[in-house]
Amino acid sequence: RRTPTIVQSSPGLDPIVDFARSCVRGLYADPRTLESRFLYDAQGSALFEEITRQPEYYLTRTEAAILAAHAAEIRELTGPTRILELGSGSSLKTDHLLKAWLERGGPTRYYPVDVSSAALSAACAGIRSRFPAVEMVGIQCQYREVFPLLAQLSPVLVAFLGSSIGNFAPPEMLAFVRTLAAALRPGDFFLLGVDLVKERSILEAAYNDQAGVTARFTRNLFVRMNRELDAGIDLDAIEHAAWYRQDQELVEISARFTREQSFRLTPPGRVITMGQGDLVRTEISRKFRMERVIPELEGCGFAAERVFTDSQRWFALLLLRR
Ligand code: AVI
């Protein structure tokens, strides 16, 4: 029990082949897109942690303040559940939840889930040192792979923080929430962080930080293609672009090629040509309205138990009951 235990899923597909196929599919698509799950290799996860510390990136600190203020109340409402956190990253926000669970006594069981083994190991080591009394098993896999385990973990609170749900396209989000609801038992909980619609200038600053960390995060996807797929992409010819699309209420994040170039991904070895000014979308980050998202989640099988927000109404934490 003293050493962090990490269990790993056994995906059928070789991770390099999975990455290569996904890149080829996305780069031949119209519009060109890359799957954002590939942003989170060891470097990408570390860069994302750095993004969360940028002054413009209000999401993490706003959500952490909401959690700090309401974790005890959340524990009051849920009772002594196990906690499973999807996309745990560094898990720093989780400290507030674990503290509230520990203060009420009884065993506290925590299951962080992350695709990045480096991020997961770091998170487990951190929790182990800050909360030696917490019983923990880290699970390295994609989110959907964990759903079949949930029934065994009941009573459980599934936490999905940081507005990561905003990185899904609307149909994917609904499919995800429906599948989660089906995997949970009645009476289990879902704690969901959502970033709210706000002024364009605040949103665009958050995704275009002065220090250029978000730009490095976007560019890292191409660094990864060079390292893992031997792509030979000229990284100096790639810039980060992020803007708010008010019509869809989302921030669109792309890489822009500033010069024409051709490269080849191995496997499968197909040539890809990018023209000057061509964009490759690497992420969307949706912004939500409470009056719309709550009925949507309720339509997927959850009941809204409590909604917590900050004084500026920039971010919301929704406690949903299955
Ligand atoms: C992980 N996710 C919630 C972040 C977001 O805000 O959509 C990812 C991110 N990409 C650029 N900055 C942050």
Side-chain angles (χ1 to χ4, degrees):
R1 283 222 299 114
R2 287 289 128 199
T3 31
T5 317
I6 296 183
V7 293
Q8 202 181 356
S9 72
S10 46
L13 199 56
D14 174 340
I16 299 281
V17 173
D18 183 26
F19 182 37
R21 278 193 197 156
S22 168
C23 290
V24 170
R25 212 183 306 123
L27 292 172
Y28 276 96
D30 184 20
R32 294 186 175 96
T33 48
L34 291 169
E35 282 186 84
S36 46
R37 67 184 166 106
F38 294 111
L39 285 161
Y40 299 91
D41 64 351
Q43 275 100 318
S45 297
L47 284 167
F48 178 65
E49 287 308 319
E50 209 176 321
I51 289 175
T52 66
R53 292 190 292 269
Q54 297 311 302
E56 300 93 335
Y57 196 77
Y58 60 86
L59 288 81
T60 313
R61 60 170 187 275
T62 310
E63 186 183 49
I66 301 171
L67 268 173
H70 300 288
E73 192 180 343
I74 293 170
R75 166 62 181 76
E76 205 61 54
L77 290 162
T78 63
T81 58
R82 299 185 172 94
I83 300 172
L84 180 136
E85 185 176 5
L86 298 171
S88 46
S90 77
S91 287
L92 283 176
K93 287 172 293 188
T94 320
D95 283 20
H96 300 298
L97 289 176
L98 295 177
K99 253 184 233 151
W101 258 243
L102 286 167
E103 273 163 16
R104 298 243 124 209
T108 298
R109 300 199 175 93
Y110 176 58
Y111 303 82
V113 178
D114 208 291
V115 275
S116 160
S117 62
L120 187 63
S121 310
C124 287
I127 297 281
R128 174 70 68 223
S129 68
R130 295 193 300 282
F131 300 98
V134 169
E135 295 170 28
M136 174 178 58
V137 180
I139 307 173
Q140 191 210 336
C141 68
Q142 289 183 50
Y143 302 149
R144 59 186 154 74
E145 293 176 302
V146 93
F147 291 159
L149 296 177
L150 291 175
Q152 295 167 47
L153 297 182
S154 184
V156 64
L157 166 82
V158 173
F160 194 28
L161 303 177
S163 202
S164 291
I165 201 152
N167 298 130
F168 294 157
E172 278 177 62
M173 164 174 157
L174 292 180
F176 174 87
V177 178
R178 280 196 201 104
T179 317
L180 174 63
L184 289 171
R185 295 240 164 104
D188 285 337
F189 287 91
F190 181 29
L191 183 65
L192 180 66
V194 289
D195 193 21
L196 301 176
V197 167
K198 61 183 67 59
E199 233 174 86
R200 170 190 297 277
S201 58
I202 300 164
L203 290 167
E204 292 190 341
Y207 292 86
N208 290 284
D209 63 281
Q210 284 286 311
V213 185
T214 311
R216 277 161 57 211
F217 179 68
T218 301
R219 203 175 287 113
N220 179 58
L221 196 45
F222 298 86
V223 173
R224 183 171 178 183
M225 277 190 220
N226 281 353
R227 188 180 57 244
E228 294 183 15
L229 309 178
D230 201 17
I233 298 167
D234 175 5
L235 300 168
D236 291 337
I238 294 179
E239 59 185 27
H240 161 87
W243 58 85
Y244 184 53
R245 292 192 56 162
Q246 199 139 22
D247 55 339
Q248 298 182 46
E249 298 188 330
L250 57 82
V251 176
E252 195 170 295
I253 303 158
S254 300
R256 185 189 290 116
F257 281 73
T258 57
R259 283 194 289 279
E260 189 190 301
Q261 60 173 308
S262 294
F263 52 88
R264 198 187 282 273
L265 304 179
T266 315
R270 286 174 70 176
V271 173
I272 290 156
T273 302
M274 305 294 302
Q276 184 182 12
D278 279 356
L279 291 170
V280 179
R281 198 177 66 201
T282 55
E283 288 174 284
I284 58 160
S285 189
R286 295 177 65 205
K287 305 301 156 192
F288 298 90
R289 291 180 187 271
M290 272 184 310
E291 64 274 20
R292 248 187 249 158
V293 75
I294 292 171
E296 259 187 355
L297 296 163
E298 295 197 317
C300 294
F302 286 102
E305 182 84 15
R306 206 68 115 235
V307 176
F308 305 100
T309 186
D310 54 289
S311 59
Q312 302 186 96
R313 295 191 149 246
W314 277 9
F315 200 95
L317 204 54
L318 314 176
L319 181 65
L320 304 146
R321 186 197 287 265
R322 168 71 181 89

